[in-house]
Amino acid sequence: MDNKQSIPVPDNKENEMQEEVEEEIKLLPPNNTIYINNLNERISIDDLKQELFKLFSEYGSILEIKAKKNIRMRGQAFVVFEQIACAQKAIEALNRKNFYGKALHLNFAKTKSDAILKREGAYAPRQPKIFNAADFIEERQSNKKQKENLKNKESATAKLAAQPLVQNTIIQPHHTLFLENLPINSNTEVIKAFFATFPGFKEVRLVPQKRVAFVEYEDENKATAALASLQSFKIGDQTVTANYAKA
DNA sequence: AGCACA
């Protein structure tokens, strides 16, 4: 609900202008590790790592992927390649690619990853971190939140299970999303072009007469991630609503 | 915006 996204309309001049303005990012000297930022922060770290792996492993073998969700490190990730040349290829191919609704910002990392230092026998355990109260508190809070979320989830499913078998109106997560209020003339290609930018996309089934569509993803998690990234979005100037399909 | 490595 806080981030509106829109499907570019072909003959909309404003959109064309914006694309031309995209500035080049200056690359740092080559490194085994790619530093990524501008990542969609609503995606869970696990999903993020998995999808980054799928995407980047096409360009060479990956030693590891690091990502954290604390204030300082969220929205960023490190992909460590076995070979620098592969990191280079990946940057060339993937920079600015749409990923979970946002453009990947890729660069070489500023420093060597520990994994690489270890491989070179040059790894020396860093100075023990100076105690940082802010980090400490933040970590505690995010742990607490995680626990709360888990508890909420559990109690929600418990509630759901406790309900009588009368049809309930709660919409449960589903691997398919349901789109409503589509513009009269919308076509599958336009919808597909947009939803395929979210990992795990499978297909769109449009029901033109009803101006609704079903957007199918590999699994519930992928559908959830896509949905989380776009509470509302537009085709032209029409706001389309999305939710899980009913089971 | 934000370059880490439990």
Side-chain angles (χ1 to χ4, degrees), chain A residues 198-215:
Chain A
F198 301 101
F201 170 84
K202 284 180 81 173
E203 65 162 349
V204 168
R205 295 184 296 275
L206 178 63
V207 189
Q209 311 83 28
K210 300 198 167 177
R211 293 168 51 207
V212 303
F214 297 87
V215 182

Side-chain angles (χ1 to χ4, degrees), chain A residues 27 34 56 59 85-97 106 108:
Chain A
L27 287 189
I34 299 179
F56 283 82
Y59 301 89
C86 299
Q88 184 116 40
K89 284 260 186 299
I91 290 186
E92 280 162 18
L94 263 24
N95 218 349
R96 303 237 158 207
K97 181 188 163 67
L106 307 180
F108 295 108

Side-chain angles (χ1 to χ4, degrees), chain A residues 55 67 73 87 131 134 142 158 168 184 195 224 234 238:
Chain A
L55 200 58
M73 285 298 122
F131 178 80
S142 93
N168 59 57
I184 300 165
F195 284 88
T224 300
K234 292 182 164 194
Q238 181 133 346

Side-chain angles (χ1 to χ4, degrees), chain A residues 38-50:
Chain A
N38 194 45
L39 287 166
N40 188 327
E41 297 179 14
R42 311 163 77 141
I43 311 306
S44 81
I45 294 294
D46 283 349
D47 281 0
L48 187 67
K49 284 187 180 173
Q50 261 190 54

Side-chain angles (χ1 to χ4, degrees), chain A residues 8 22 30 40 63 69 86 103 120 154-155 178-179 210:
Chain A
E22 292 224 344
N40 188 327
L63 236 39
K69 62 175 185 334
C86 299
E120 294 171 352
E154 277 165 8
S155 80
F178 181 59
L179 310 184
K210 300 198 167 177

Side-chain angles (χ1 to χ4, degrees), chain A residues 114-165:
Chain A
D114 285 358
I116 298 299
L117 291 174
K118 280 176 189 157
R119 194 179 71 174
E120 294 171 352
Y123 174 72
R126 68 199 70 255
Q127 313 236 169
K129 245 189 282 175
I130 301 145
F131 178 80
N132 179 176
D135 283 354
F136 178 76
I137 291 168
E138 191 196 320
E139 196 139 321
R140 279 192 60 90
Q141 279 172 343
S142 93
N143 284 345
K144 214 192 264 177
K145 218 180 239 172
Q146 240 180 308
K147 270 182 205 159
E148 271 167 23
N149 285 344
L150 199 77
K151 228 183 247 173
N152 287 344
K153 217 181 227 175
E154 277 165 8
S155 80
T157 54
K159 233 184 247 170
L160 208 60
Q163 285 200 338
L165 272 181

Side-chain angles (χ1 to χ4, degrees), chain A residues 3-31:
Chain A
N3 67 333
K4 302 233 180 210
Q5 305 189 25
S6 44
I7 293 175
V9 176
D11 51 6
N12 180 329
K13 283 190 188 109
E14 267 181 29
N15 283 346
E16 280 173 29
M17 303 274 285
Q18 274 172 359
E19 273 177 40
E20 280 172 35
V21 175
E22 292 224 344
E23 3 64 69
E24 277 296 309
I25 11 184
K26 47 230 167 293
L27 287 189
L28 292 168
N31 190 305

Side-chain angles (χ1 to χ4, degrees), chain A residues 174-243:
Chain A
H174 195 280
H175 67 280
T176 300
L177 300 181
F178 181 59
L179 310 184
E180 287 174 283
N181 194 34
L182 292 164
I184 300 165
N185 57 349
S186 37
N187 63 308
T188 307
E189 289 317 306
V190 175
I191 300 171
K192 179 176 166 180
F194 186 70
F195 284 88
T197 66
F198 301 101
F201 170 84
K202 284 180 81 173
E203 65 162 349
V204 168
R205 295 184 296 275
L206 178 63
V207 189
Q209 311 83 28
K210 300 198 167 177
R211 293 168 51 207
V212 303
F214 297 87
V215 182
E216 189 178 335
Y217 284 88
E218 273 166 24
D219 59 46
E220 202 179 286
N221 285 336
K222 295 292 169 288
T224 300
L227 190 58
S229 313
L230 72 155
Q231 231 42 292
S232 86
F233 74 100
K234 292 182 164 194
I235 297 182
D237 53 7
Q238 181 133 346
T239 300
V240 177
T241 59
N243 209 330

